[in-house]
Amino acid sequence: MKLASTRLIVRDIKATVAFYELVTETPADWLAPVFAEIVTPGATLAIGTAETVALFKEGTAEPGANRSAILEFMVEDIDAEFSRLKDNADVVHEPKLLPWGNRTFQLRDPEGTLVSLFMPETEAARVRFGGR
């Protein structure tokens, strides 16, 4: 089995897609006016409007209701990314080192989803992610 994508259900698809295009520096593939994907080397982020929920089962997902998941993006230079994004996003916290060896900062997307950008900082963290 392979995790193919993570999908966000949103109220304002244009603002949310623009936010993730800014963060990932990757243009979205608009597959329909109510659905877009941002394909990165590690995973795909799918973004759909509330109207797409009814295609599965009405009421099973709700825009802006997430407070339990964090979307994480691994980057090469955490300080450069923070400098690039800090004035264009809702910053939750500035870069800091976490106990498991990643240096990270967090933002909120336009719908309130928590987004973490991180880089492995310690030797153990770099090894976990296949680096040295």
Side-chain angles (χ1 to χ4, degrees):
M1 184 181 300
K2 177 182 173 184
L3 179 63
S5 71
T6 297
R7 184 177 307 187
L8 299 175
I9 300 300
V10 301
R11 286 183 191 92
D12 186 342
I13 193 166
K14 289 182 181 177
T16 304
V17 168
F19 171 85
Y20 285 103
E21 286 178 324
L22 172 69
V23 168
T24 64
E25 297 183 297
T26 302
D29 295 328
W30 285 88
L31 304 177
V34 295
F35 185 78
E37 292 182 336
I38 295 179
V39 180
T40 72
T44 296
L45 178 60
I47 303 166
T49 64
E51 291 82 9
T52 64
V53 174
L55 298 171
F56 300 105
K57 184 174 182 203
E58 190 74 42
T60 57
E62 178 185 338
N66 174 35
R67 288 290 187 243
S68 63
I70 302 170
L71 297 179
E72 296 183 309
F73 295 91
M74 189 166 62
V75 300
E76 294 289 323
D77 184 337
I78 198 72
D79 295 311
E81 294 298 329
F82 183 73
S83 293
R84 183 176 70 82
L85 296 169
K86 68 180 179 174
D87 296 328
N88 297 305
D90 178 13
V91 175
V92 174
H93 69 79
E94 295 186 1
K96 62 180 166 182
L97 183 63
L98 299 177
W100 47 91
N102 292 340
R103 192 147 178 264
T104 186
F105 70 90
Q106 293 180 330
L107 312 167
R108 286 210 184 270
D109 78 9
E111 300 279 325
T113 300
L114 201 53
V115 178
S116 179
L117 278 70
F118 76 95
M119 63 180 271
E121 179 84 4
T122 65
E123 180 64 26
R126 286 191 293 275
V127 167
R128 269 197 332 274
F129 289 101
R132 291 188 199 183

